[in-house]
Amino acid sequence: MNELLQSAADRASRYLGEIQERSVAPAAAAVAAVQGLREPFPAGPAEPGEVLALLDELGSPATMGMAGPRFFGFVIGGALPVTVAANWLATAWDQNAAFDSVTPATSLVEAVALEWMREIFGLPEGCAGAFVTGCTMANFSALAAARHAVLAGQDWDVEADGLFGAPPITVVIGAEAHPTLIKALGLVGFGRNRLVRVAVDDHGRIRPEALPPLTASTIVCAQAGNLNTGAFDPLPAISERVREAGAWLHVDGAFGLWAAASADRAHLAEGIGLADSWATDAHKWLNVPYDSGIAFVRDPEALRAAMAVTAEYLPAPDGVRNPSDFTPELSRRARGVEVWAALRSLGRSGLDDLIARTCGYAARFAEGLGAAGYEILNEVELNQVLVSFGEPDVTARVIKAVQAEGTCWCGITVWQGRTAMRISVSSWATTAADVERSIEAIVRVASATV
Ligand SMILES: Cc1ncc(COP(=O)(O)O)c(C=O)c1O
């Protein structure tokens, strides 16, 4: 056992070392070689050490360098070393984190992490939290609580009676809501085609004056951190309209909620604490390993009513918090352990530095590529940068060529009709030198392509 785990640690360290210099995108030969794992189901057992070696030798070279310092696609953080190590330890514990009395250590660690995040985000005391796989499921969980509360307000028990024949609910979203929010709304039963979409400005922010009339049967979904521009919906203005109507305000803050952790950026997240529910990720900007999302709900009973296994749920004895009363799953790995480890090791100043540093690097990308003559399409206030290299097909070709060149990896998007390169700086591992090296590579590749 010791030898096997030691070998895994050695292989992982070597991988994380090599990924600093390797092409960010895997080489075509490595992607072809991983096909070697496609084999008939073995007739009998193999040595565990051999299995691990096979996985490392064929699997590792074919991975995308998401854990490295120059992956800027999607919104992907790396994994802080302490979170990788905590993940290994928690995997060795192999706790099924459903019940407090059965798995007291993970239950406590997760409760502490939730409380720290509640403070970081400035959410109300006493709100409930749940560890889920990502922001899609965090949106799903929070919206299930919203559905419960809004319908309970009309004497309808949605957990018992479902949505058929229920009083209608109007769900309002911004025109630039993340597609997974729309998916989550569909999963909760609100119907993707029934959503009311509100006009947004050129940064994707909801125009509060465009909100339709709201009632106590309305759920408004705002966004903290647009995937493309990093922009925040104007939460103070939206929440005022929501409060007047007695409606429910949900905030999708997959990465944007973390702006609240940085003294320089907290103003962007102003008004966050005024909502009724929130969804965020830890696998993005907090830099814990996949997968890790978190839902928060102001009224703990709304989340518990939606998620507890029995319809006639009973509070756990002596105020004990059973994690499974708040999550869609019963059986679940204790993914809050890595969140705790990240927060415990960073502390307030370390977290502030992580957010501020990555935002600073995004600003530097905008400055460097702007100075080289390329158009920056967004105001870079957070960690997202949109760059146009000219005509859509030219921009698309530059992005492909940058990915193939391998120094860094950036993705493609279409922002309000403009094709753009997306640069998202979300990893603890990125240094100023990585940013300069990436700017140099992008400019070099672009000038050869354009
Ligand atoms: C604003 C927003 N909401 C939700 C999501 C979905 O998050 P996840 O992939 O963790 O489910 C994302 C992903 O980028 C996002 O940017």
Side-chain angles (χ1 to χ4, degrees), residues 26-79:
V31 176
V34 78
Q35 292 293 327
L37 294 177
R38 237 184 242 286
E39 55 181 352
F41 181 44
E47 275 301 316
E50 280 171 27
V51 174
L52 195 67
L54 188 61
L55 189 63
D56 185 26
E57 280 152 25
L58 292 185
S60 294
T63 57
M64 176 63 79
M66 291 178 170
R70 292 183 304 283
F71 183 86
F72 304 114
F74 311 98
V75 184
I76 304 246

Side-chain angles (χ1 to χ4, degrees), residues 109-446:
V109 169
E110 291 198 329
V112 171
L114 285 175
E115 181 57 16
W116 286 348
M117 284 188 286
R118 186 196 65 72
E119 268 180 40
I120 292 164
F121 301 143
L123 308 186
E125 267 182 48
C127 66
F131 285 103
V132 292
T133 48
C135 199
T136 305
M137 283 310 291
N139 279 323
F140 167 84
S141 304
L143 290 164
R147 182 183 66 172
H148 169 87
V150 170
L151 287 174
Q154 307 214 32
D155 297 324
W156 186 270
D157 181 346
V158 68
E159 283 72 35
D161 299 321
L163 280 175
F164 298 107
I169 292 180
T170 303
V171 179
V172 177
I173 64 169
E176 290 289 353
H178 196 269
T180 60
L181 175 81
I182 296 166
K183 172 179 172 175
L185 286 162
L187 288 173
V188 182
F190 290 136
R192 298 182 191 201
N193 291 341
R194 297 173 60 116
L195 308 172
V196 177
R197 289 160 206 253
V198 183
V200 293
D201 67 15
D202 59 355
H203 269 63
R205 296 175 279 241
I206 283 180
R207 294 180 187 276
E209 70 279 7
L211 283 170
L214 310 179
T215 71
S217 297
T218 311
I219 297 171
V220 178
C221 299
Q223 182 170 247
N226 176 284
L227 175 77
N228 284 306
T229 63
F232 289 67
D233 286 337
L235 295 170
I238 295 172
S239 73
E240 200 178 310
R241 288 283 311 279
V242 166
R243 284 289 146 256
E244 282 165 12
W248 180 287
L249 177 58
H250 171 71
V251 177
D252 174 1
F255 57 97
L257 235 54
W258 294 93
S262 169
D264 286 350
R265 314 280 154 173
H267 63 279
L268 298 170
E270 190 198 346
I272 269 185
L274 301 169
D276 298 291
S277 59
W278 305 262
T280 191
D281 267 320
H283 56 217
K284 291 188 166 69
W285 225 350
L286 184 61
N287 280 258
V288 309
Y290 283 92
D291 45 28
S292 188
I294 309 108
F296 290 97
V297 178
R298 177 185 290 271
D299 173 8
E301 293 316 310
L303 185 58
R304 199 206 306 254
M307 295 296 165
V309 173
T310 57
E312 305 79 28
Y313 65 88
L314 294 169
D318 305 315
V320 166
R321 174 186 180 280
N322 275 331
S324 61
D325 282 348
F326 300 94
T327 54
E329 307 89 353
L330 176 63
S331 298
R332 180 178 66 81
R333 80 176 183 93
R335 54 176 63 82
V337 169
E338 297 118 41
V339 174
W340 174 87
L343 296 174
R344 181 69 179 78
S345 81
L346 289 170
R348 199 173 292 281
S349 62
L351 183 57
D352 185 329
D353 180 59
L354 171 65
I355 302 303
R357 198 170 70 233
T358 40
C359 289
Y361 291 156
R364 173 65 197 130
F365 265 114
E367 184 189 56
L369 294 172
Y374 303 115
E375 188 186 359
I376 307 301
L377 302 185
N378 63 322
E379 284 162 27
V380 181
E381 288 188 311
L382 207 64
N383 59 339
Q384 311 293 312
V385 188
L386 296 179
V387 195
S388 164
F389 295 88
E391 292 301 311
D393 64 312
V394 175
T395 298
R397 274 192 285 123
V398 170
I399 294 167
K400 244 182 151 175
V402 165
Q403 292 173 355
E405 192 270 346
T407 300
C408 63
W409 200 100
C410 309
I412 190 167
T413 192
V414 177
W415 173 247
Q416 298 190 340
R418 307 275 316 267
T419 299
M421 171 187 274
R422 279 192 63 249
I423 302 175
S424 173
V425 191
S426 309
S427 176
W428 70 279
T430 304
T431 64
D434 288 311
V435 174
E436 296 310 322
R437 197 169 147 187
S438 302
I439 292 172
E440 184 278 321
I442 294 170
V443 171
R444 178 168 34 82
V445 170

